[in-house]
Structures are given as C-alpha cells and as structure tokens.
C-alpha cells in the first residue's frame, strides 16, 4: 500500500534498518533525523512543530519516540495530527513490551493511535540484543567483564533489531493494516546471567552479571548523564524483569515475517569483535 514512507529516528538502531529494508524493496523513503546529512534525509525533531513537514507525500510512517523524556503523547500528538491532515494514513509505532496501551510513555501514544488514526500498528519488542553490543552494556563487557542490572534472575526474550525492523517493514507495507499491537521476542527467554554465560563461553574469558539494587542502578544512570525521572523509569523496567514480567516468548516474528527470530547465541557470534 505504501507510496512513500517516513522513517523517524531514521539513522538509529531500528530506523536505519527499516529504511534500508524498504529501499531494498524499491519503496521511496524519507529518513527523518535531527541532523540531515545524506540525500533522502529530512529534518525531524519531535520537539519542533515544523517537523510535521517531513510527512509531506508520505502515506505511512515508522514512529520512534524520543528517548530522553517521558511525556511522549504531549510531545508527539500535535505533529501526528498535522501528519494526518497532510495525508499520512498508516502509523507504525515502536513501543516496548512493558508498555501496554494506556500505560506510561509510549503506552499513551499507543492508546491515542488506536482511537484516532485509520491504520496503525504498535510493535512492542522485548529488550534489544544490541544493548549488549552497541548499547549500555558493551563498554562494561569490554572494560569490566561485567553486565550491570537490577534484574536479578529474571528472564527476557531478548530480540535483535534486525528482527524488529523486519516486523516493522511488514506492518508498514502489508495490504491490510494490522490495527493491533504485537509483542516481539526472540526464540528464548534468558536471564542476564545466562547472557553473561553465553558471552563468556564465546570469548573464553569470564563475563559476570552484577545484580544491583534499584537505587544503585538509578545512581549509575544519573552518573552517565540521565535525569533522575528517566533514570528511575529505567530502573523500574529492570524491576519488572526481576519480577518475571518479561519471562515469555511469542510467535509474532514468525507470523509477521515468515521466518524465525535469531537466537542470542547467533547474535553474539556475529558481534564478538565488539567485546
């Protein structure tokens, strides 16, 4: 159904992969980014109402919410309303498995999309495998041989950004809009200790999981420059994992893309040079 698709966060972890897959299929793409550099890039910042112009000529959009604040609906709704007025019909939101419709942050946007736009999908992936290779844990694995979290022994169906991107492209381009949410996971639920064990075995050096109290994790996040409210929100997500809220797998990747999601071991094998 797509004629041209706007990919917000188009240079980020999932956005860049979504844009590349769409281009490989011959679908025109507008890559929304705060710092346009290449042909096809368009200026986009949720905090700038003028960013609504990025939706011009786009029938669908992949939405990546800002990662440094929690008032997502208040920030995003005015631009999304302008996007609909400009002719964009389908919106695919990247949310999180931990944010149900009507919940905090992306959950508020989820509920609004379901009630306000004609065609929508909300992708709710579990935690990214890339958190260990290009995110908050890669440096500590390299420098400290450690992964720090407040998850205890709780398990997560870690998923790769490539699998998320494949699901996003399916939701953006399928003839009949999903008009539902989809919880996306990898093929197995692992604890952070399990992840450390997989990485240790492949590196042939010990990598350990350091289980922190939530207050200690908040202090670590704040020391890395995050505001207190956002640091506390992230620590709460670890508490949900600790309490079993992410201990699940789903068949959504297979159903949306026609193939099984990659395992963490496969992911780790392809990212060994990072560690």
């Amino acid at each position: 159904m797509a004629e041209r698709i706007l990919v917000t966060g188009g240079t980020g972890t999932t956005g860049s992969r979504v844009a590349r897959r769409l281009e490989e299929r011959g679908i025109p793409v507008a890559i929304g980014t705060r710092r346009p550099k290449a042909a096809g890039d368009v200026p986009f910042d949720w905090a700038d109402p003028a960013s609504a112009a990025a939706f011009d000529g786009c029938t669908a959009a992949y939405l990546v919410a800002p990662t440094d604040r929690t008032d997502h609906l208040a920030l995003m709704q005015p631009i999304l309303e302008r996007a609909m007025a400009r002719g964009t019909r389908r919106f695919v939101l990247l949310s999180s498995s931990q944010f149900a419709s009507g919940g905090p942050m992306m959950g508020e946007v989820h509920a609004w999309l379901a009630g306000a736009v004609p065609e929508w999908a909300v992708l709710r992936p579990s935690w990214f495998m890339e958190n260990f290779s290009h995110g908050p844990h890669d440096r500590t694995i390299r420098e400290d041989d450690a992964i720090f979290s407040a998850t205890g022994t709780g398990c997560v169906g870690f998923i790769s950004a490539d699998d998320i991107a494949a699901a996003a492209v399916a939701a953006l381009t399928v003839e009949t809009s999903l008009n539902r949410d989809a919880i996306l996971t990898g093929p197995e639920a692992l604890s952070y200790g399990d992840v450390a064990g997989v990485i240790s075995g492949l590196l042939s050096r010990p990598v350990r999981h350091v289980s922190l109290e939530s207050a200690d994790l908040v202090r670590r996040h704040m020391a890395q420059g995050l505001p207190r409210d956002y640091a506390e929100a992230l620590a709460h997500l670890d508490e949900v994992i600790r309490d079993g809220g992410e201990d699940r797998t789903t068949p959504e990747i297979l159903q949306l893309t026609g193939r099984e999601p990659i395992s963490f071991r496969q992911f780790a094998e392809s990212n060994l040079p990072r560690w």
Side-chain angles (χ1 to χ4, degrees), residues 65-98:
T67 58
D68 58 352
R69 55 196 301 164
T70 58
D71 56 340
H72 291 105
L73 183 59
L75 189 69
M76 296 170 67
Q77 181 177 343
I79 291 179
L80 294 176
E81 289 175 339
R82 292 184 177 95
M84 284 193 291
R86 291 169 183 266
T88 307
R89 289 185 51 80
R90 182 174 297 186
F91 300 86
V92 175
L93 172 70
L94 177 67
S95 183
S96 164
S97 58
Q98 294 188 349

Side-chain angles (χ1 to χ4, degrees), residues 211-261:
S211 185
L212 301 173
E213 295 297 325
S214 296
D216 294 327
L217 185 61
V218 169
R219 284 190 285 271
R220 281 185 64 87
H221 287 323
M222 292 179 65
Q224 294 164 357
L226 294 181
R228 176 175 288 276
D229 63 342
Y230 197 65
E232 290 176 343
L234 291 178
H236 173 69
L237 298 184
D238 271 24
E239 293 172 359
V240 172
I241 294 171
R242 182 193 64 203
D243 295 339
E246 286 292 315
D247 190 357
R248 60 187 166 189
T249 60
T250 73
E252 290 283 6
I253 292 296
L254 176 61
Q255 292 174 355
L256 290 170
T257 70
R259 61 173 179 77
E260 295 283 355

